[in-house]
Structure formats: structure tokens, C-alpha cells
Amino acid sequence: MIFDYPTLKLIWWLLVGVLLIGFAIMDGHDMGVGTLLPFVGRNDEERRVIINTVGPHWDGNQVWFITGGGAIFAAWPLVYATAFSGFYWAMLAVLWALFFRPVGFDYRSKIHHAGWRRTWDWGLFVGGAVPPLIFGVAFGNLLQGVPFHFDANLVPYYTGSFFGLLNPFALLTGVVGSAMLTFHGAIYLAHRTEGEIQRRALRAALIFGVLMLAGFSAAGLWLAYGDFGYVLVTAPDPAALPNPLTKSAVHAAGAWLANYGRQPATLALPALAYAGGLAALALAARRRTLAAFVASALALTGVIGTAGVSMFPFVLPSSTVPGASLTVWDAVSSQRTLSIMFWATLIFMPLIIAYTGWAYRVMAGKVTAAYIREHEHSAY
């Protein structure tokens, strides 16, 4: 093994972040397009154009979501088990919403009936709009701390309620999550379409881009002046086997901003969120849609990276027993597991990126109403 245990723990914190960002960029623009579908498309033909911009890619992009969930399960088993205890109904809501995507894409155009197609259009809307909202709410609860603790056998106990997750700050971060993926999807849609659909997509990009930046700013101010944050009093040994009960931590208002003072270079992440968002808006206004898409991807990277860096080394803080909080150092799998996963990731992630890039290159170009009419039986 080339890397020691503490280094592998840090590497996997970074890799999980990369997978979450990859999911937001790749599957996120599919979900954003689904969210906009009933509103940007004014008739059946326009909606078929919109669906065909993401139809060939959406299932491949969902690999990022599956891989991210699998990586959390394998690299951070305690986080996975504890989070699903607390967010069980929320995760089920995500799963139920995602059910509409495969059947919506496959069944929507099978029957030439207006009511049938409208139903699946709204199903695709649910599959695109609900997951980002819930993921944003989940991040808001992570930043506040989740009410859980462990017994002596490390069995997690969640002491909150489902409706307790729907607090004002979490709803704000839910808006940020929803807005940033809808913004990203609107720019992608503008890049793949033309005419009136493109104009509507650009208007949607302006609305949701401004909403994302405003919500991100409001959440940052709330973190700065609100009663949020945790600090380690006695840190776990980074080289020790994972045991979250070997440390102590306390709640400390404003602690989530401390990392930026200790490591000023991390300020590049919130700066990237603003710079990428503003650049995407400016480029989209000039109809430089490919560059705008890259800029919005950088904005998403900045937003998600800001949340991760703010909480480091915490991954899942406990609001009821802060000492039971899960951190980068004490929520992980064994050194052998992390090492095997690292080499597997090193081999397969470049292959996934290369294949995805090839697929987008092959199916690049505008999707038009003429294309839909010419491919009536093969298009979505």
C-alpha cells in the first residue's frame, strides 16, 4: 500500500466530494431539464424536443448518483447507516420521485394521447425537481447538526422527526439545491435547442441563476451570524481504527467559518461559486451557451465544495451528542478497503469520463422540431 491510513481517509473525503460534484454536474442538468419541461415546452412537439436533449444520456449520467451512494456505503459505512436512519423517509421520497424518470422517458411517447403525455411530463418534472430539493434540505440539516447518538455497540439512534428536517434554514438550502440544478439544466437546454425554446430556457437560466446566488449568499450570512457550527475538543487519532466515541466535540456558533481563516486558500471555493454563477449568466446572455455550461459547472463545484470545506473534518455532526459526530477520521472503513477502492477508482473513473465525453461528442448538436418529425418512431 502506497498511502498510509490517515492519507487514505483524506483522499476518500476528497473523492466522495468529487463524486457528489460529478453527480450535480452530469445528472444535475438532466434533472434541471426535467424540472423545466412542463414550463419551457408549450406543446407536445416542443416537449419532445426538450426530452430528446437528455433522453440519450440521462441513464448514463445517473451512474454518478449510484456510484456516489455506493462510495459512501463502502468508504463511510457509519455515515451511510446513520444518515439513512435519520433521513429514511426523505431518501424514500427521492427514490419514489426517481421512479418517474425511466418510465417517463420510455413510456411518454408510446401512446398518442394528450392526457397520457401530459401525465408523464409531470412525472418527469417530479423526477427532476424533488431530488435536488431534498438533497439541499439534507445539506442544510447537516450544517445544523442531526439529532442522533450511538450506544456502546455503535448502533445509531435517530431522535428527530421527518418534519423536523423541514426547518427554515434547511428549506433555504433546499431552494439553493433546486435552483442551482435548474439553472444548470436551463443552460444545457439553451445549448441544445434553438428558437423559442432556447429563448425560454435562457430566461429560466436568468431567474434560477439569480435565485441560486441570492440563496447561497443568504445561507452564508445565516451560517456566519446564526447558531451553527461544531468544533473538536479532543480529536481522534487519524491513524486509529474508526470509533466515533473516542473524541469529544462541542457546539460553537460560527465554527463553520473557521476553516477559511486557518486555510485562506479555501476561500477560492465560495469565490468560484460566485464567479462561475456570474460568468454563466453573462455568457448565457450573449448566447455563448457551451462556455456558460462550463461556468455553471464551476459554480456548482464552488457551492458543494464550500459546504464540504466549511464542515471539515465533520461529515455528519450530532446536535444532541456532539461527541458522537462522525468525522473524516472516525467514520471510515478499514485501510485495506479504502486502498482497494482507491485503485479501483483510479482505473475506472477515467474510463467513465472518457466514455461519457465520447457519447456527448457523438450525439452533439441541436435538437430541433424537424428532427423530431423526421424520427417520429425513434425519438423520445
Side-chain angles (χ1 to χ4, degrees):
M1 297 180 183
I2 295 178
F3 300 110
D4 58 22
Y5 201 16
T7 303
L8 281 170
K9 292 177 180 181
L10 186 58
I11 286 173
W12 270 101
W13 176 77
L14 291 170
L15 285 177
V16 168
V18 168
L19 290 170
L20 292 177
I21 291 168
F23 159 69
I25 293 172
M26 300 306 299
D27 206 19
H29 74 258
D30 295 341
M31 291 182 175
V33 170
T35 303
L36 293 170
L37 173 63
F39 310 103
V40 174
R42 301 295 172 81
N43 56 50
D44 180 67
E45 189 172 71
E46 289 185 348
R47 291 179 181 180
R48 290 193 71 190
V49 169
I50 293 168
I51 291 171
N52 276 271
T53 63
V54 296
H57 304 292
W58 76 269
D59 47 355
N61 289 337
Q62 197 148 293
V63 169
W64 288 94
F65 175 63
I66 297 168
T67 305
I72 293 173
F73 170 77
W76 293 343
L78 278 176
V79 173
Y80 189 91
T82 306
F84 269 78
S85 296
F87 300 154
Y88 182 76
W89 288 108
M91 293 299 102
L92 277 183
V94 170
L95 183 62
W96 292 333
L98 290 175
F99 287 161
F100 288 104
R101 301 185 77 202
V103 290
F105 282 114
D106 286 345
Y107 291 168
R108 193 258 181 203
S109 294
K110 297 294 186 185
I111 298 177
H112 292 273
H113 185 276
W116 171 269
R117 293 187 172 188
R118 278 196 304 271
T119 299
W120 287 117
D121 290 340
W122 285 105
L124 289 171
F125 165 79
V126 170
V130 170
L133 177 65
I134 291 180
F135 291 147
V137 168
F139 264 99
N141 281 280
L142 292 181
L143 289 163
Q144 295 175 88
V146 179
F148 72 90
H149 65 275
F150 293 98
D151 66 13
N153 296 316
L154 294 184
V155 176
Y157 290 89
Y158 176 73
T159 57
S161 66
F162 170 78
F163 291 104
L165 300 174
L166 305 177
N167 54 77
F169 179 76
L171 292 175
L172 172 61
T173 55
V175 169
V176 175
S178 180
M180 72 178 190
L181 295 197
T182 308
F183 171 53
H184 194 51
I187 291 176
Y188 177 79
L189 185 59
H191 179 63
R192 296 295 311 278
T193 58
E194 58 186 19
E196 191 59 34
I197 297 176
Q198 185 186 61
R199 285 191 286 273
R200 294 181 198 133
L202 289 171
R203 286 198 294 270
L206 174 62
I207 293 169
F208 287 100
V210 171
L211 183 60
M212 177 193 75
L213 293 173
F216 183 65
S217 300
L221 291 171
W222 203 332
L223 284 178
Y225 297 103
D227 193 24
F228 303 129
Y230 295 85
V231 295
L232 292 174
V233 177
T234 57
D237 180 1
L241 292 174
N243 184 347
L245 302 182
T246 61
K247 66 178 182 304
S248 60
V250 295
H251 172 264
W256 290 150
L257 302 182
N259 283 335
Y260 299 103
R262 287 190 291 264
Q263 300 290 337
T266 56
L267 288 169
L269 287 165
L272 183 63
Y274 286 110
L278 293 172
L281 287 170
L283 290 165
R286 298 174 61 184
R287 303 208 175 189
R288 295 179 58 186
T289 51
L290 180 58
F293 183 78
V294 173
S296 68
L298 293 175
L300 267 60
T301 301
V303 171
I304 297 171
T306 296
V309 166
S310 297
M311 292 176 59
F312 184 86
F314 290 88
V315 176
L316 187 61
S318 170
S319 60
T320 50
V321 184
S325 299
L326 298 175
T327 72
V328 172
W329 313 118
D330 57 16
V332 298
S333 293
S334 68
Q335 183 175 0
R336 180 177 294 275
T337 299
L338 296 183
S339 182
I340 293 172
M341 289 172 58
F342 170 76
W343 291 112
T345 302
L346 201 65
I347 294 169
F348 289 107
M349 185 175 285
L351 294 176
I352 293 171
I353 293 172
Y355 170 78
T356 302
W358 174 81
Y360 271 85
R361 182 178 179 181
V362 168
M363 290 178 271
K366 300 288 186 180
V367 180
T368 64
Y371 171 85
I372 298 299
R373 289 191 289 269
E374 290 171 10
H375 300 82
E376 176 65 29
H377 299 292
S378 59
Y380 287 89

